[in-house]
Amino acid sequence: MKSLCRLVGCSKRQSDGFGPASKFYPQMASAMALAVALCVSNVAIGQSSSSPATEAGQTDGASTGPPRPNIVWIMSEDNSADYLRHFDPMGAPAPNIEAMANHGITFDHAFSNAPVCSVARTTLITSCYGPRIGTQFHRRIELAKLASGMQMFPAYLRQAGYYTTNQSKEDYNATPSRGVWDDSSKRASWKNRPGDDTPFFHVQTDAASHEGRLHFPESDVTQKATVTDPQSVQLQPYFPDTPLMRYTRARYQDQMMVIDDGVGRIIRELDAAGQLENTFVFYFGDHGGVLPGSKGYTFESGLHVPLVVRVPRQFADKVGRSLGSRTDGFVQFVDFGPTVLSLAGIQPPAFVDGKAFLGDSVDPAEVDARDEAFGYADRFDEKYDLVRTLRKGNFKYVRNFEAFYPDGMQNNYRYQMAAYRQWRSLYQAGKLNEVQSQFFRPKSVESLYDLDVDPFETHNLAGDPAHAAKLLELRSRLMDRLKGMPDLSFVPEAKLVEQAMNDPVAFGQSHQEYIAELIDVANLALLPFADAQDRLRKAIASDDAATRYWGVIAATALGDPAASLTDDVADRLQDSDPLVVARAVEFMAVVGGQDARASLYGALAKATTDAEALQILGTAVFLRDHTDGRFPIEIDKIKLMFDPPAKGEVQRRLDYLGS
């Protein structure tokens, strides 16, 4: 049979730009088109000095504005919108962020496209969807190269005369293009620009809200008091109501107050330098989080972020909104870069997936009407789980392509949090209710939520006939997106690393039809088994390894009704591709109830790369932890043909399986 490596590499790559544009993803046409796209607007707002408004913690001052505005991003790590009182009455008070909002705009529906740092930050800096450009995996095994002509958006600001600085986290999954930052370091500052009349773009990351701040010993509950009263917090309904869980939320809300102090400090520095009323200041979270079940997951708690933009008096005419206003229009991370360029008078390049939501050419009414957000999750550290989401208005559609994997599968870093460990222990002890247990059980292959009445996404409407039309509408819209991009994740990461990372976009365009066919195979899991079985049997026996791979996954997701395929899948235990073997092992355990661990050990022995071994080790963890103890893993039977990096993801899995 053909190997996936050979098949995926068989199509001729395009060498002179991208393939045909789709309705969702405009592509670069030529170097000339890029040059036009990068032309800087001749608009100059040469206003004289203005007196800044006084906010919490700032002083009065005056300044002469540059011809173009400065832009500052303040990013807090790992926090969703609901941890701030400005977005949720049960959140933490944040007077400095609230003062920004009084002099600016609050975006009540701002979304990270991905729920984890490196993927979200790469989406921000490229303004492109990660699964289209090969940057969707956290942590990256290999950096993706940007397509010819693509640059991270601050490079365009530099070309237009801006001084660009970043302090200091990057965490990109793509090889940085040249000339992105004048300085990206712990000492980077807008204050170091060459002249007072030089406009600047500065990014400041604050880690006070990072997940690691909740890696405290359980003894802190009684020994280290919080400012926020644990009894006053409101726990999400999927959490058990325990002193530890309440304390964890209270402690996190304390950290959000630390974040607010940092925001106030930056505002005061801009004011003292006479730059506040020349500067758009964005405050937002770099993705959702960070209590259990948020960071790394495509729930609203992982994707919905706070966003407040303080509007400088000098450039208030660029927004077309009243200060202190709020908008329900949806904005996503792919939109942030185009927005900065638009505010700077620079036309965003054609290759980006986002569109500006502020600037001279932006119609506020059009922004207010935006109601769609796309989300994606792939590998999260050592844990694989391919999920895609589409929210339209208050309805959210979720497609779980590996639905038999529970959300609560082991991820070593997550379970350093005491609240995570307690939640799992209570589940294992049978002490949780149905909603609290969902995180540790297999998922539905697709879900539909009405967020108006179910903001915590606990009641799946996918099987409700009253919502059948909405389900089909959102499913169709999502699949159009995935095929139009195309979504590279339907080629396993190990094969992308081997075949695609030198130019993921060109690879995707030259394999667009092939990837669409793989998506169709994966979606056989959405059909009644009687309607899917013939096509599944054909897929499982295909000459193409990726088709076999997705055929087996779809059969496993169908569960018990697919038991008649057991003999077909058993043949895949001797497949030439070790990734297909691992998927067959999962089917045999979940549907066939049979022990295929010997084939799993054999697949690991044949793995030739970190990416290949890592995915197969995920199957080992699934067998060990989620098959009722029937298939324990014997660590001494795992033999790899290479030594994995000592601190890499493969070693994390081996450490866990050996514990």
Side-chain angles (χ1 to χ4, degrees):
M1 291 184 176
K2 298 176 184 176
S3 74
L4 183 56
C5 292
R6 287 197 299 271
L7 180 88
V8 171
C10 68
S11 296
K12 183 178 184 293
R13 292 189 182 181
Q14 297 175 356
S15 58
D16 53 352
F18 297 160
S22 75
K23 62 181 178 179
F24 289 113
Y25 306 101
Q27 310 296 345
M28 293 184 295
S30 65
M32 181 61 72
L34 258 181
V36 173
L38 294 176
C39 287
V40 180
S41 168
N42 290 323
V43 176
I45 307 177
Q47 298 179 355
S48 60
S49 63
S50 61
S51 177
T54 300
E55 296 183 20
Q58 67 181 60
T59 59
D60 289 312
S63 65
T64 300
R68 284 170 290 165
N70 310 311
I71 300 109
V72 170
W73 281 4
I74 307 171
M75 272 194 282
S76 53
E77 295 203 62
D78 298 0
N79 63 283
S80 47
D82 58 317
Y83 291 109
L84 288 170
R85 181 180 64 187
H86 186 63
F87 293 89
D88 187 307
M90 297 304 295
N96 292 296
I97 295 170
E98 292 160 14
M100 281 181 59
N102 290 336
H103 204 284
I105 307 160
T106 298
F107 292 82
D108 284 316
H109 292 98
F111 300 94
S112 173
N113 295 101
V116 66
C117 303
S118 69
V119 187
R121 286 171 174 271
T122 310
T123 300
L124 279 168
I125 203 71
T126 62
S127 309
C128 296
Y129 294 128
R132 180 171 76 85
I133 65 170
T135 60
Q136 68 271 40
F137 301 106
H138 175 88
R139 300 264 178 235
R140 74 267 182 184
I141 289 174
E142 182 173 329
L143 290 172
K145 291 185 179 179
L146 297 179
S148 176
M150 290 180 67
Q151 296 189 76
M152 295 175 174
F153 82 83
Y156 306 127
L157 292 166
R158 284 195 75 202
Q159 293 167 16
Y162 272 74
Y163 183 73
T164 62
T165 51
N166 176 58
Q167 191 188 110
S168 61
K169 185 172 182 176
E170 293 185 352
D171 205 12
Y172 307 143
N173 290 337
T175 303
S177 52
R178 297 180 63 183
V180 178
W181 302 111
D182 285 286
D183 188 8
S184 180
S185 71
K186 292 182 179 180
R187 291 185 290 274
S189 172
W190 55 270
K191 300 174 186 177
N192 299 329
R193 66 197 187 282
D196 290 344
D197 59 347
T198 302
F200 58 84
F201 172 61
H202 178 69
V203 177
Q204 186 79 32
T205 295
D206 194 330
S209 52
H210 187 270
E211 176 180 12
R213 304 289 178 159
L214 296 185
H215 290 174
F216 53 78
E218 193 167 348
S219 58
D220 277 9
V221 174
T222 56
Q223 296 178 8
K224 190 172 183 179
T226 54
V227 175
T228 303
D229 180 1
Q231 294 306 310
S232 72
V233 302
Q234 179 176 300
L235 288 176
Q236 293 88 329
Y238 44 79
F239 288 146
D241 192 345
T242 68
L244 173 59
M245 198 65 76
R246 285 187 167 275
Y247 177 87
T248 302
R249 168 131 194 176
R251 186 149 163 173
Y252 194 66
Q253 292 193 186
D254 285 359
Q255 292 306 118
M256 292 311 303
M257 290 187 271
V258 175
I259 291 292
D260 185 66
D261 289 343
V263 170
R265 182 172 59 254
I266 293 171
I267 293 290
R268 291 191 295 274
E269 289 175 354
L270 288 166
D271 186 45
Q275 292 298 328
L276 183 60
E277 295 307 332
N278 303 323
T279 305
F280 285 92
V281 182
F282 289 57
Y283 162 72
F284 58 97
D286 70 347
H287 53 76
V290 69
L291 267 67
S294 53
K295 179 179 179 179
Y297 301 94
T298 56
F299 300 114
E300 293 297 282
S301 59
L303 298 174
H304 185 198
V305 298
L307 172 60
V308 173
V309 180
R310 189 193 185 281
V311 177
R313 180 175 298 177
Q314 187 85 340
F315 297 102
D317 58 347
K318 281 184 172 287
V319 301
R321 296 180 184 273
S322 300
L323 299 186
S325 63
R326 305 180 82 113
T327 175
D328 283 325
F330 284 29
V331 298
Q332 309 173 77
F333 273 13
V334 290
D335 302 325
F336 282 41
T339 298
V340 170
L341 295 177
S342 176
L343 289 171
I346 302 169
Q347 180 68 30
F351 65 76
V352 302
D353 293 320
K355 53 185 178 180
F357 53 83
L358 294 172
D360 292 326
S361 61
V362 175
D363 178 5
E366 185 276 327
V367 175
D368 292 344
R370 297 183 193 177
D371 68 346
E372 197 161 296
F374 172 51
Y376 39 86
D378 290 83
R379 179 170 55 76
F380 180 28
D381 295 328
E382 70 269 32
K383 173 182 170 289
Y384 282 91
D385 192 6
L386 176 56
V387 183
R388 297 290 181 264
T389 68
L390 185 67
R391 177 172 172 177
K392 185 169 177 60
N394 283 315
F395 278 93
K396 182 174 178 180
Y397 175 79
V398 181
R399 177 69 171 91
N400 294 301
F401 287 94
E402 298 166 287
F404 41 89
Y405 285 170
D407 285 320
M409 270 186 71
Q410 176 69 20
N411 179 309
N412 292 10
Y413 190 73
R414 305 289 82 70
Y415 282 96
Q416 290 184 38
M417 191 187 299
Y420 252 113
R421 296 194 302 272
Q422 183 189 68
W423 192 14
R424 181 169 64 181
S425 295
L426 290 172
Y427 171 74
Q428 292 169 339
K431 295 182 178 180
L432 301 181
N433 63 32
E434 187 67 25
V435 169
Q436 294 163 352
S437 298
Q438 288 176 358
F439 189 71
F440 302 98
R441 292 176 176 168
K443 305 183 289 288
S444 300
V445 291
E446 61 180 352
S447 302
L448 179 70
Y449 300 106
D450 180 351
L451 299 175
D452 258 349
V453 297
D454 182 24
F456 298 106
E457 299 164 86
T458 62
H459 182 55
N460 184 7
L461 300 173
D464 185 345
H467 294 93
K470 180 62 68 175
L471 178 75
L472 292 175
E473 174 200 348
L474 295 187
R475 181 201 292 168
S476 176
R477 291 182 72 86
L478 178 61
M479 295 311 145
D480 284 347
R481 279 181 175 265
L482 303 188
K483 293 178 179 181
M485 294 167 66
D487 191 320
L488 297 178
S489 290
F490 291 89
V491 177
E493 182 183 17
K495 309 308 177 184
L496 290 175
V497 169
E498 293 173 5
Q499 298 289 323
M501 300 307 272
N502 281 333
D503 194 342
V505 174
F507 176 90
Q509 291 298 309
S510 63
H511 292 81
Q512 186 165 14
E513 183 177 346
Y514 172 64
I515 291 171
E517 291 170 356
L518 296 179
I519 293 171
D520 287 340
V521 173
N523 281 337
L524 293 175
L526 300 173
L527 300 177
F529 178 69
D531 296 338
Q533 61 179 326
D534 290 343
R535 281 178 282 177
L536 281 171
R537 190 167 276 116
K538 181 179 179 181
I540 292 167
S542 172
D543 285 343
D544 172 44
T547 303
R548 300 195 300 275
Y549 174 90
W550 279 109
V552 176
I553 292 173
T556 307
L558 281 164
D560 291 343
S564 62
L565 296 175
T566 298
D567 289 344
D568 301 84
V569 177
D571 289 342
R572 301 280 65 78
L573 295 174
Q574 288 79 43
D575 200 278
S576 59
D577 192 296
L579 294 178
V580 177
V581 173
R583 293 309 196 174
V585 170
E586 292 170 348
F587 177 94
M588 300 307 288
V590 172
V591 181
Q594 298 181 30
D595 184 359
R597 285 175 294 172
S599 297
L600 177 69
Y601 299 136
L604 283 166
K606 293 178 181 178
T608 59
T609 65
D610 271 13
E612 207 166 47
L614 182 58
Q615 187 158 355
I616 300 169
L617 286 168
T619 297
V621 170
F622 173 69
L623 291 186
R624 170 182 143 156
D625 292 350
H626 300 286
T627 56
D628 300 322
R630 292 173 294 155
F631 308 116
I633 299 300
E634 299 172 72
I635 190 67
D636 60 331
K637 291 187 177 181
I638 295 178
K639 308 293 184 184
L640 299 179
M641 66 171 61
F642 60 91
D643 293 325
K647 295 184 179 180
E649 311 301 342
V650 169
Q651 191 59 52
R652 284 191 187 189
R653 279 301 195 210
L654 293 172
D655 290 344
Y656 176 68
L657 290 167
S659 63

